Structure formats: C-alpha cells, structure tokens
Amino acid sequence: MAKLRFQPTFISLPNGAQGVLAQAPHLTRAHVSIAIAAGYLDESRTLPGLAHLLEHVLTTAPLEASSNISLLTWFAQHHGSLNAHTDDYVTDVHFSIPANKLEVAALTVASQLARPAFSPSVIGAEVAAIDAEWQARQNSSAMQRLLAIATLSDPQHIGASCRHGNAQTLGSDMALLFEALTAFHRDYYHSGRVSIALISPWDTETMARLIKRMTTLFSPPTPSAPSLAITPRWNRLPHAKIAKTGNTVELLWPLPSAVARHQLTALGDTADRLNQGFLVEQLPDSITDYHAALSPSGATDAFSLMLSGTATQEQVKALAADLSERLAAMLGTAPNNQGNCWQPPADTVQLAPAWFAHARHQALARRFTAQPPEHQPGASPFAANNARWLFGNASPSPSSPAFDAFDRQPAPCPAVQRWCGQYGVSDDFAALATTAWAACFVPGAVIVPSPLTAQRLALQDIVFKQEDSPHGSWVIAMGSQANHAMVTLLEDAVLAASKAQQGLLAQQLIQRLTPLPAEPVVWVSHNTGAAAVCHALANLASRVAIRAEQPPPASPATSTAIMRTLSLPGTPSQRLLLALAEQHHSAAFFQQARYDHHLGYVAAVRRGDGAPCSLGYVVQASHAGQVSKNAGSAGRKLREEKRIAEKLRSITDALWQESDSVLQAQLPALTPPETPLAALVLQWQSLLAGTHQPLHRLGEQRIDSQALTNLLSQINTLSHWQTHWLDSAGHYFVND
C-alpha cells in the first residue's frame, strides 16, 4: 500500500521567524501549529508552571476584537478545533480549520499570541484548570516519569523539579501572576522564537504569504531577550526509579546542547527504523514491547528507548552498552533515501497530531542549532556509558509473558459477529481497494498481544493498531496476509481485565456516549481465512478474566463531572442533526457554562455517533476545599451539584429551543478521513456502533427546511434525556 509523503518547504524570514509548509491536495481542513521556543525549562524558579499557565491564558483570554470571545470559543463557532501544549523548550498552539477559513483563523490566532489581553479573572480560572489537570495526573505513570527524570538532572538546573504547575506553586496573588505573565510573554513570545508549520490544500506560494503575514504580527526581540541556547541539565546519576508504575525501563541518551540539523534528522530516521522492528532480535526475551523517540516529552534534550518488561540492572547496563554501539553505527549510516519528504508514521490515524509533533521537532531544532557551526560537535551522542535509565518496579504487568493476571475459568466459545467486505472505504482512499485488513473486538476486556507484536508485524510490512477502553478492546492489522497475521496474533494473545478509567472526569463520562457490542466482533476485507479469524477470536474470548482490577481506596470527592445527554434512535438524518447541533451548540454552551454561569473549568459538547446516536453536554468543577465526612460538607456538595445540574438543564433546553433558526438548512462540515488507516478505523467504529455508514459519507444528504422541522419535533417524541454524575471518589449514577 502506498504511504503518504509530503514535500515540505522551509522559509526563514528577516525578523527571525521560521516556517515550514506542505501541500496536501486531498485535505479539506488545514492544520497549523504556531510554536514558540519557550517552555517549562525557561521559567523562573519561583513560579513553576508559569509557561503552562501562559499557554492556558492565551487560549481562553478575550480576543482583541471581542470582549467575550476566546480562541476556544471562536474555533467552536467556526467548525474548527484548537489546543495547545507546553513542553521543556517549546510551547505550541495548534489548530485545524476548514480550508476556506484558514486565513482568518491563522491571523486571529497569531494576533492573540502576539498581543494578548490578560485579566485577573481569566488568570484565576486557568490556575484552577491547571490544578485540576495536576490533580488528575499527579499519580499517573506520566507524572511519575517526569519526577524520575527530574532526579537525573543537575540539582542546580531548573529541570531538577517537576514543572507542570498547580494551585500551590502558582499561588493566588493575581497581581503577581499578571506581572510575571506579562514579562514572560515579552521575553519569549517574539518573532525570534516563532516557528509556524502549515499543511493544507492551498498552493505553496499562498501558504508562504500567509505565514509571512502571521509573523509580522509579532514584536521583534528586545535587546535583553534571553538567548535560544539550551543549558545542559543532565548529571552523572546513572539511573532512577519510577514508583508505582508498570514494568518498564526507559533508556535515555542525553543530547549535546548544540546538535547540527542533519544529526537531528538522522536521529529521527533512526527512531523510525527502530520502531519498524529492527531491534526485535537483539532484545532479551523478558522485553515485551519497545518504542524509540527523538526528543520525547519531558526529556526533549534526549533520545529515548522505552522498553516494557523486566530486566535487572546488569542486563540494562549490558543492553545500554550494546545499543549505544549499534545506535552509533546506525547514526553513521546514510538516512533513508526519502529526500526531504515528510512521512507520517505508518499507524497515523489523524494527520493533524503527527503534523503538530513534526512542527514541535522543527521548533526544537532551532534551539539545538542556535550555536554557531564551530560550536556544534560532530561526535555521536551514543558514546559508551552515556546512557541513563529509568526503572519502573511495580508488580508484573499483563504484558509480561510470566504474568498470571487472572484465574482461568472454562467457558463455551461465544458467538462471533462478522462483517466481510470493504463497505466503501476504497471510496475514501483508492489505495484500500488492493489492501487487506482484519479487525477484532472483545467487550469488557483488554487484548494483550504477545511480546513485540507491533514490531514483528512491521517487519512484515503490516500496520498494527490497538485501542483499549474500560468498555472493550480492539486490534486491527492492515497489509498483505492480514488475516493470517490476525490469527497468529489472537492465538498468542491473552485477555486482561479492563483498566480503571483515568484522566479528567468529564472525559470519562464522554466515553459512555457511543454504544459498543456485547459480543466479540470481526471485520475482514476478504473471506479467505475469515473463518479462522472468527475461530481464533472465539477461543480468545472464551478465556474469561474473573479477577478484576481492584479499585483504589475510597477517598473524599474533590471534584464532580455532570453530563446531560440526548439520545435518538440513530437514523442517518438524526445523526446529521446531532452533528449539526454539536457544531452550533459548542461555542454557546462553552461560553455560558464556563464564563456566564461559572459551572466549572471544563465545559464541552461531544457527540457519540451510532445507533443510538447521542449528544452530551458536560461540565466539571472542583469542590471548595477538601470535602470532609461531616453532614454539613456533604450537604453543601449535594446542593452545589443540584444547582449545576439544574443550570445545565436550563442551558441545554434553551439551546434546543433556538435550534430551528440556528440550524435551518445548514449542513455540518463533515471531515473525510485523511489517511488510509483513518478510513478503516472510522468504518470499523461505525460498525461497532451499530451503523454501516460513517458520518462523513452522509454529508451529501440535504436536510431541507421541512425535514429539519420534522427532525426537531422528534426531540420531543423520540428523544431520551438523562443526567449523569461521576465524582473523583468513583461514585457514578444516572437518572432521567
């Protein structure tokens, strides 16, 4: 199957800004990243999390042209999406927008980043939002990894502490934060640190002109502005332990503070080659998975190799020495003969995240190459004894071959639902007409493949993709002999109990919107070998996991998410109606729930597409102070939750009363898949949700005025409204 490749064009502007652009004629949306070469490790020691706070404030502060519209609200109003990310040395604001709105969107975002208007009320709200993120993440493996990486830093370096930020580190002095944000913005958000990356269907010249217009909005650097140079942070401590995490070993090779661009390109190519299976035969049997990355999050000044499984310190030392030699040899060879083409990873479902990651690497490269050429060393970073490593020493994980995660109980082989055929995916991507695939789903459990499955399949030119949730797990294999590969995968796999949900409570509630089958399911492109796939899946599903993961100890609820959902049977017209409503309600709901009525730091409208189809309006808020066990505190909590639920009902009712005029004779901006794997996943998710057509293929259906009026009347006759509650102590309930 042909792989996606895009020819980028690099531009450097007189004001110091840089840009990279690529034309992709098949896209209907543009993907843009504005990266600023500043991050956690550029902050003051006195305000950890300041860079993260600035990122939040920039996306939620009012726009210059409007006193009550933020970037997030603006994009919701214009059928786009916007997010931001802060890392060690780079902060980026990235967005996707219909191509016909690219110019106004790009200039709006650039203007907001260049000339923001801060206010104490917005700053206070975003401190609360950052604290909520920290509360949700503080015991996660990702946060524990950041803390362990910090111990490997020089104690005198700012990186020797975890920089995410929270209410305690940022404090409650809004005047102080206002001054600090203003100073940080002046010192770092200038044209000398701006990198813009743009991929769209537009021609190259038009995109280049737009990038130039965007960069002229930024002020030039002041004479006292900090330099781009990176200060080395790594000490000689060889290893650190990550507490309470799975069995992992992460090898880190610190990069020099100045690295030539061609070396960074070669290192990126090296990571890609390693992930295609080129380490499979060199690893000990106790290693079950691995992933290589140049500049991983939290250690962007390093090359990383994440290993899952178990290994002693002696094994790690030997492995690090052996890999250092092998990697140094790989780095010395010529890069893959791809010219300057940008090629997203083979398992890319959404093109935008891959492009945004590419943009961050481009922005980071300018910091590594900030030193003049005579100061850029040519030696390989993979020198002997240069590796550090992080150990995760939790109890064995389900991915370990020796792990007996649960008792086995004999059970009859369940019936397996099966679909066979293309279901129109070749209309989305012609390359799929000659491509084979197989997909399998198991409800209420996690499929745990045998060790190094993805890498072994990559060596066979087969793309492997897996998605797990508390409600089920699916795997998909795409490429020649996919059915045979899937049978082998299922025969060697085991089932594990579903993991407890993590992340923001609002996200956990949103996961309940889309229905999933109650029985195992198979979808194959060709009948040949399909029976063997069904048989292998039935055998796997019959191995029932009877030992569920133990929930964490009960603790007082410090936050609650509340969601009001609307469900309809799921006809094509009803699905289109909810897609329309999601787009047109998002901005108004966000504005009213978060700002007008202060219902919480999360406010979003999300859709579950299928039969039935559903729409969820969700908010999340923290309780003032730690909730105690006395009746008074519990009563206040219940009264506040009731107030939020009642206001949520009134807002959603008002939105639907206005829907006739807002939605009249409009069609949603339905986005077709941007990669072949995305086309397969969208069709697969539609089948699992009880439909046969992904939503983007229904966009040609015209909803005229009378049809829309008839549809809206069904809200009162066929719809089902419910309210869901989920708090941080794990209590969930729902009522009509």
Side-chain angles (χ1 to χ4, degrees):
M1 185 182 70
K3 296 180 180 179
L4 296 176
R5 289 184 174 89
F6 305 95
Q7 182 65 50
T9 299
F10 297 90
I11 56 177
S12 295
L13 301 174
N15 62 2
Q18 295 184 359
V20 57
L21 53 93
Q23 185 183 26
H26 77 287
L27 297 185
T28 61
R29 297 168 74 82
H31 307 304
V32 186
S33 169
I34 304 179
I36 307 296
Y40 289 125
L41 301 188
D42 296 300
E43 298 168 344
S44 165
R45 286 184 177 275
T46 60
L47 286 174
L50 185 67
H52 190 192
L53 176 61
L54 179 57
E55 168 225 304
H56 271 245
V57 170
L58 288 169
T59 58
T60 58
L63 298 178
E64 185 178 22
S66 176
S67 61
N68 62 351
I69 295 179
S70 66
L71 279 180
L72 291 174
T73 306
W74 191 94
F75 273 82
Q77 290 176 339
H78 292 82
H79 304 163
S81 60
L82 177 139
N83 210 332
H85 178 80
T86 303
D87 216 319
D88 291 343
Y89 299 103
V90 173
T91 298
D92 67 294
V93 176
H94 47 265
F95 60 90
S96 299
I97 195 76
N100 62 355
K101 300 178 181 177
L102 169 57
E103 181 177 6
V104 64
L107 295 175
T108 298
V109 177
S111 177
Q112 175 72 346
L113 298 190
R115 299 189 296 266
F118 303 142
S119 71
S121 61
V122 171
I123 294 172
E126 296 315 312
V127 169
I130 286 176
D131 191 67
E133 290 182 4
W134 180 77
Q135 295 287 350
R137 296 181 58 202
Q138 62 175 327
N139 294 318
S140 68
S141 58
M143 189 65 76
Q144 291 165 7
R145 172 181 170 272
L146 289 179
L147 289 168
I149 289 175
T151 67
L152 298 178
S153 298
D154 188 314
Q156 304 305 312
H157 192 277
I158 196 172
S161 62
C162 189
R163 314 302 296 177
H164 181 280
N166 55 53
Q168 183 175 356
T169 67
L170 292 168
S172 58
D173 188 335
M174 294 302 111
L176 173 64
L177 286 177
F178 182 92
E179 293 180 4
L181 288 172
T182 302
F184 192 86
H185 183 272
R186 180 192 63 240
D187 290 342
Y188 293 99
Y189 279 64
H190 56 72
S191 59
R193 288 178 176 261
V194 173
S195 299
I196 297 176
L198 166 59
I199 186 169
S200 81
W202 286 16
D203 64 80
T204 300
E205 291 184 3
T206 305
M207 285 190 283
R209 286 196 299 268
L210 178 59
I211 288 178
K212 291 176 183 177
R213 290 180 62 191
M214 295 166 66
T215 60
T216 59
L217 297 173
F218 289 86
S219 302
T222 62
S224 60
S227 71
L228 282 165
I230 293 175
T231 303
R233 68 164 167 173
W234 300 90
N235 63 18
R236 298 307 305 172
L237 189 66
H239 59 81
K241 179 181 177 181
I242 308 176
K244 299 180 182 178
T245 188
N247 287 343
T248 61
V249 179
E250 184 175 9
L251 296 171
L252 295 166
W253 284 266
L255 301 178
S257 57
V259 181
R261 190 174 288 268
H262 75 273
Q263 283 189 307
L264 291 172
T265 301
L267 285 170
D269 291 342
T270 298
D272 290 340
R273 281 182 283 173
L274 293 177
N275 292 332
Q276 293 304 304
F278 289 95
L279 272 183
V280 167
E281 301 303 326
Q282 284 75 42
L283 296 174
D285 293 340
S286 58
I287 299 301
T288 61
D289 194 12
Y290 74 84
H291 181 78
L294 170 64
S295 301
S297 182
T300 53
D301 49 355
F303 184 95
S304 165
L305 184 67
M306 178 70 76
L307 305 167
S308 298
T310 57
T312 64
Q313 289 198 23
E314 290 72 20
Q315 287 177 314
V316 172
K317 289 179 181 179
L319 182 60
D322 181 58
L323 288 178
S324 295
E325 183 177 340
R326 292 178 181 273
L327 292 170
M330 293 181 73
L331 184 59
T333 63
N336 290 343
N337 186 23
Q338 299 175 0
N340 290 323
C341 284
W342 174 67
Q343 181 176 314
D347 63 349
T348 297
V349 175
Q350 296 180 342
L351 194 59
W355 178 252
F356 299 148
H358 176 65
R360 282 192 287 274
H361 277 164
Q362 295 299 316
L364 184 63
R366 72 184 301 183
R367 301 200 66 166
F368 279 119
T369 58
Q371 298 284 359
E374 60 267 20
H375 292 102
Q376 294 181 1
S380 166
F382 302 115
N385 300 321
N386 196 35
R388 278 78 164 162
W389 59 90
L390 303 176
F391 277 109
N393 291 334
S395 58
S397 66
S399 58
S400 173
F403 181 69
D404 185 14
F406 39 76
D407 299 327
R408 298 295 189 182
Q409 176 176 304
C413 287
V416 175
Q417 185 176 359
R418 183 176 82 180
W419 296 291
C420 181
Q422 290 194 350
Y423 287 90
V425 294
S426 59
D427 296 333
D428 296 327
F429 269 90
L432 293 173
T434 56
T435 301
W437 64 82
C440 295
F441 169 79
V442 173
V446 174
I447 300 173
V448 183
S450 63
L452 304 175
T453 292
Q455 294 84 359
R456 295 184 191 279
L457 290 176
L459 289 174
Q460 305 172 41
D461 201 27
I462 292 178
V463 176
F464 170 77
K465 190 72 175 178
Q466 179 170 6
E467 183 173 300
D468 300 327
S469 78
H471 313 297
S473 175
W474 60 257
V475 293
I476 189 167
M478 177 176 61
S480 179
Q481 302 298 315
N483 283 1
H484 175 74
M486 182 61 75
V487 170
T488 303
L489 185 158
L490 296 174
E491 288 177 345
D492 293 340
V494 296
L495 286 184
S498 296
K499 297 180 180 179
Q501 289 180 300
Q502 294 182 340
L504 290 173
L505 298 175
Q507 296 171 337
Q508 297 179 30
L509 275 181
I510 288 169
Q511 286 187 344
R512 300 173 183 268
L513 287 174
T514 299
L516 289 172
E519 67 280 337
V521 179
V522 165
W523 177 38
V524 292
S525 56
H526 298 85
N527 259 321
T528 304
V533 175
C534 291
H535 181 70
L537 181 63
N539 283 339
L540 176 63
S542 69
R543 303 199 289 270
V544 180
I546 64 171
R547 185 187 301 170
E549 184 174 292
Q550 293 298 316
S555 58
T558 59
S559 58
T560 300
I562 303 175
M563 180 171 67
R564 192 172 188 226
T565 59
L566 164 68
S567 298
L568 288 168
T571 66
S573 296
Q574 291 168 355
R575 294 166 63 199
L576 280 172
L577 173 67
L578 293 194
L580 281 166
E582 179 189 28
Q583 291 184 354
H584 289 286
H585 290 178
S586 290
F589 180 78
F590 182 83
Q591 178 68 35
Q592 293 181 46
R594 182 162 185 178
Y595 297 125
D596 297 347
H597 301 289
H598 306 287
L599 299 188
Y601 48 83
V602 175
V605 183
R606 293 292 184 269
R607 173 175 42 85
D609 189 48
C613 56
S614 56
L615 198 62
Y617 304 80
V618 62
V619 296
Q620 179 177 335
S622 293
H623 307 307
Q626 189 78 6
V627 178
S628 67
K629 294 183 179 180
N630 67 66
S633 295
R636 285 193 297 271
K637 171 178 174 289
L638 289 174
R639 286 194 297 273
E640 176 63 12
E641 290 177 359
K642 183 178 180 180
R643 182 193 72 83
I644 293 175
E646 290 175 348
K647 181 56 67 175
L648 190 61
R649 176 186 290 270
S650 68
I651 293 174
T652 52
D653 287 347
L655 287 173
W656 278 102
Q657 289 171 3
E658 299 173 357
S659 293
D660 200 352
S661 60
V662 173
L663 303 178
Q664 196 73 22
Q666 297 187 52
L667 283 175
L670 302 177
T671 305
E674 297 179 343
T675 68
L677 184 56
L680 286 183
V681 170
L682 285 172
Q683 179 62 54
W684 176 226
Q685 290 173 333
S686 292
L687 292 172
L688 291 176
T691 72
H692 287 78
Q693 286 280 0
L695 189 66
H696 70 273
R697 296 207 206 114
L698 303 179
E700 296 180 0
Q701 297 187 20
R702 180 67 58 178
I703 304 180
D704 58 32
S705 177
Q706 184 58 48
L708 182 60
T709 300
N710 294 339
L711 272 174
L712 292 173
S713 69
Q714 295 177 6
I715 301 300
N716 297 321
T717 58
L718 299 177
S719 66
H720 183 203
W721 286 97
Q722 290 182 314
T723 302
H724 307 248
W725 282 265
L726 177 65
D727 67 26
S728 51
H731 305 126
Y732 168 77
F733 62 96
V734 58
N735 64 16
D736 295 334

